[in-house]
Amino acid sequence: MIDWSVFGAWISAAMVVWIYSFAYRDNVFYKLAEHMFVGAAAGYSIALALDSLNRVMIKPAVTTPSTFWPNSWHYVIPAILGVLMFAKYSRRYYWLARYAVAVNIAVGTGLAMRTVPIANIVKQVTATIVPLWGSDPVAVLNNWLLVLITIGGLTYFLFTVFPKRAEGARPSPLYYAYRALYYIGIYGMMVGFGALFANTIMTRVGFLISIYLIYLQPQYWATIVAAILAAVAILLSLRKK
Amino acid sequence: MSGSISLGKILESRELLYTLLLISVILPIIHPLGIPIAVSARTKAVYNYIENNLKPGCHVYFEIYYEVAARGELEPNVVALTKHLFDKGCKIVYVSLASYGVVVFNLLKSTAADIFQGKEYGKDYVFLGYVAGGESAAASLAKSIKGTVSTDNYGNRLEDLPLMREVDKATDFDLVIIASSGTDTFAYYVRQWYTPYNVPLLFAALSIIAPSIEPYVGAKQAVGMLVGQRAGAEYEVLVGRLGLGMASMDAQSTSHMLVLAFIVIGNVVYWSRRLSSKKGGGK
């Protein structure tokens, strides 16, 4: 008898090694792992989506119609719209899919727009109105940085009206203020991008560490065999070239 | 001259960096260094919020929205938070707006089985499973869970689960936790749960997306944020259950030191080349 759990653990360890082998060079095992992953992920997503549809609508409609239809009859509307999406595959009736897409976009936009002005504009602007004087020097410094970098960032993206330096004339104080804010914006964004880059490294290394701990370390023989196979495939491909 | 170029070429090769990175990850796991970690003020603030604001019997809504690859970053946070909430006597409703949430929840239950031991399904916690629809689904769940889904992940009718008789809408929850590897999920809950219903939100995010959702925390639209594996390790220390987060910290430290060393080397090589090309007539 095959122990499928051991088989699965070996396969998962091998897949991880083969996917990471792309960091060294493209090879046949990487391609195998890539295609298997894409196929399995797509199949799994479809199965889960169908299960969700079955669990939420089809099964209750069939098994408990007396409670489903009075309370949840409106589920039929998205179900019909969902079916209309498949009209895209018909040359004659493809236009029907537009109704489903239109409703989908309209509902999404409507739901988002009812709260976006408060959540993403008013609250964010309010959060930048902070006291610039106080007893805590660290908090004061933070608040100054927040205000200056916010205004500086906005100034950097000002493409319509901005003070220009007339040739031969002395620049106006407004011009100096604009340039100062412009550079504060640039450096503020650079610091932001630096933080983003550092966090990116942290996340990717975190993924590698956890994948090693969960999948590779417990199945070290599978890891070694998969790594040797990938190395041989890379060497063979280099030799062919 | 040719010697320095060849050294530069070796240092430039990505294979060398990847090999050293692998070694810097594997060695400290095989031989732990035991580098101590301090609990950051941000993680402590989240712990204190739960400690001071949630009472036994409170209700927590827990969004599980991350794929298997992101387990290492987010699962330590989810496990430690779940332990803290159960220790406080809270009841948890898990849900996922992503199809892979079902997979990671099952993995969570198998790897942290000790936390769920003694907790009764349906009474202490419920898993609603995958709810399709993205932001529309989040809005619908906030209005009425039972109006959105009629059964849980295992096909049980929600009316038959004691916990689901206690909660139905956003305002029935004392805290909403979102553990997500996607930026949009946090925006969904800020827009559909916090803004209309003023429900306190708590974020557990990947380090990579933390800067993107920081404005929500800064604007007090969320009570706090746990960032990545590091916060998971810190929370594990606070709740007294060391796991994947803490096991990863030595490897995180050594790999970061390696990346820092390569940034320094890269800059030295860049500037030395630039200066030598200026000396040689600008070529």
Side-chain angles (χ1 to χ4, degrees):
Chain A
M1 277 291 280
I2 300 169
D3 185 347
W4 289 107
S5 62
V6 174
F7 180 73
W10 267 66
I11 289 289
S12 60
M15 290 292 155
V16 168
V17 172
W18 291 342
I19 288 287
Y20 272 110
S21 71
F22 185 73
Y24 290 88
R25 217 161 291 271
D26 196 2
N27 64 81
V28 66
F29 290 107
Y30 165 74
K31 282 200 168 70
L32 175 74
E34 184 193 27
H35 291 163
M36 279 179 74
F37 170 73
V38 172
Y44 203 79
S45 296
I46 290 170
L48 281 170
L50 288 174
D51 177 63
S52 168
L53 185 67
N54 182 44
R55 196 163 44 81
V56 173
M57 189 189 152
I58 300 169
K59 203 176 164 189
V62 174
T63 54
T64 51
S66 56
T67 52
F68 177 82
W69 291 108
N71 300 321
S72 312
W73 62 268
H74 55 279
Y75 283 16
V76 174
I77 299 167
I80 292 169
L81 290 170
V83 171
L84 287 184
M85 286 279 195
F86 291 98
K88 272 184 183 173
Y89 300 107
S90 162
R91 283 190 183 177
R92 199 170 168 190
Y93 298 109
Y94 74 94
W95 54 273
L96 284 169
R98 288 179 183 163
Y99 288 99
V101 174
V103 171
N104 203 8
I105 291 172
V107 169
T109 311
L111 276 171
M113 286 310 291
R114 75 183 174 138
T115 50
V116 159
I118 297 291
N120 290 30
I121 300 171
V122 175
K123 285 274 182 185
Q124 299 303 318
V125 172
T126 311
T128 60
I129 302 168
V130 286
L132 296 175
W133 284 270
S135 55
D136 183 358
V138 178
V140 168
L141 178 68
N142 262 336
N143 292 349
W144 271 99
L145 286 173
L146 177 74
V147 171
L148 285 175
I149 292 172
T150 303
I151 298 170
L154 289 169
T155 308
Y156 179 79
F157 289 105
L158 202 66
F159 300 126
T160 47
V161 182
F162 46 85
K164 284 179 186 163
R165 185 180 184 173
E167 221 169 292
R170 211 173 154 211
S172 66
L174 190 65
Y175 175 82
Y176 283 120
Y178 166 76
R179 293 302 289 177
L181 284 171
Y182 180 89
Y183 280 106
I184 287 170
I186 289 177
Y187 287 110
M189 281 188 281
M190 288 299 163
V191 171
F193 295 144
L196 199 64
F197 176 68
N199 278 300
T200 305
I201 292 176
M202 202 165 172
T203 301
R204 298 300 164 200
V205 169
F207 284 4
L208 178 64
I209 294 166
S210 57
I211 280 171
Y212 177 77
L213 280 168
I214 297 168
Y215 300 103
L216 303 188
Q217 202 183 23
Q219 299 296 330
Y220 63 94
W221 275 115
T223 308
I224 292 166
V225 171
I228 291 169
L229 285 172
V232 169
I234 289 169
L235 288 173
L236 283 175
S237 67
L238 286 174
R239 213 175 151 190
K240 270 185 190 171
K241 282 177 185 172
Chain B
M1 191 74 188
S2 64
S4 66
I5 288 169
S6 64
L7 178 69
K9 283 229 188 274
I10 292 167
L11 292 173
E12 270 176 14
S13 70
R14 65 176 197 275
E15 289 85 357
L16 174 74
L17 179 57
Y18 290 141
T19 308
L20 289 175
L21 189 64
L22 265 180
I23 293 167
S24 72
V25 164
I26 293 169
L27 272 184
I29 292 171
I30 296 170
H31 297 290
L33 305 170
I35 302 170
I37 64 157
V39 177
S40 65
R42 167 167 272 179
T43 308
K44 186 74 181 161
V46 170
Y47 180 86
N48 288 341
Y49 180 87
I50 293 178
E51 203 59 31
N52 300 330
N53 292 284
L54 299 187
K55 304 279 175 285
C58 65
H59 299 106
V60 177
Y61 176 100
F62 212 133
E63 167 69 45
I64 305 277
Y65 195 109
Y66 57 91
E67 62 278 25
V68 176
R71 272 178 79 198
E73 277 263 291
L74 292 173
E75 201 175 85
N77 290 296
V78 175
V79 170
L81 280 168
T82 300
K83 177 171 166 44
H84 195 189
L85 294 171
F86 278 153
D87 288 349
K88 290 285 295 176
C90 298
K91 299 172 182 184
I92 311 174
V93 175
Y94 294 95
V95 67
S96 183
L97 297 181
S99 59
Y100 38 76
V102 179
V103 183
V104 289
F105 182 77
N106 290 335
L107 288 168
L108 170 78
K109 273 197 78 183
S110 62
T111 51
D114 56 308
I115 292 172
F116 290 92
Q117 215 167 27
K119 295 293 168 188
E120 194 181 325
Y121 185 81
K123 198 177 156 200
D124 298 312
Y125 71 100
V126 163
F127 180 45
L128 297 179
Y130 167 49
V131 181
E135 185 164 2
S136 310
S140 183
L141 287 166
K143 201 175 169 192
S144 169
I145 292 174
K146 292 186 200 88
T148 311
V149 286
S150 52
T151 57
D152 70 354
N153 185 57
Y154 311 104
N156 304 307
R157 280 161 39 87
L158 295 189
E159 287 87 0
D160 300 336
L161 301 170
L163 173 53
M164 295 315 294
R165 284 201 285 268
E166 296 170 21
V167 291
D168 185 44
K169 54 191 184 299
T171 47
D172 294 338
F173 291 95
D174 301 285
L175 180 66
V176 173
I177 302 175
I178 303 121
S180 173
S181 58
T183 316
D184 288 349
T185 327
F186 299 102
Y188 295 166
Y189 280 91
V190 169
R191 289 199 290 255
Q192 306 304 337
W193 281 66
Y194 173 75
T195 307
Y197 303 104
N198 212 22
V199 187
L201 304 182
L202 171 61
F203 297 162
L206 294 182
S207 311
I208 195 169
I209 60 169
S212 310
I213 57 168
E214 180 66 44
Y216 293 130
V217 184
K220 306 271 187 292
Q221 289 163 297
V223 295
M225 174 162 66
L226 296 174
V227 183
Q229 212 167 37
R230 167 70 196 238
E234 291 171 5
Y235 218 95
E236 283 175 358
V237 171
L238 288 171
V239 298
R241 184 191 181 277
L242 303 185
L244 184 65
M246 201 60 196
S248 310
M249 281 302 101
D250 277 351
Q252 276 277 8
S253 302
T254 50
S255 52
H256 285 195
M257 279 186 244
L258 179 81
V259 173
L260 280 173
F262 265 86
I263 289 171
V264 172
I265 292 168
N267 275 282
V268 168
V269 170
Y270 171 78
W271 281 105
S272 63
R273 274 187 186 178
R274 195 167 158 170
L275 292 171
S276 64
S277 69
K278 270 188 182 172
K279 276 180 193 167
K283 279 186 183 178

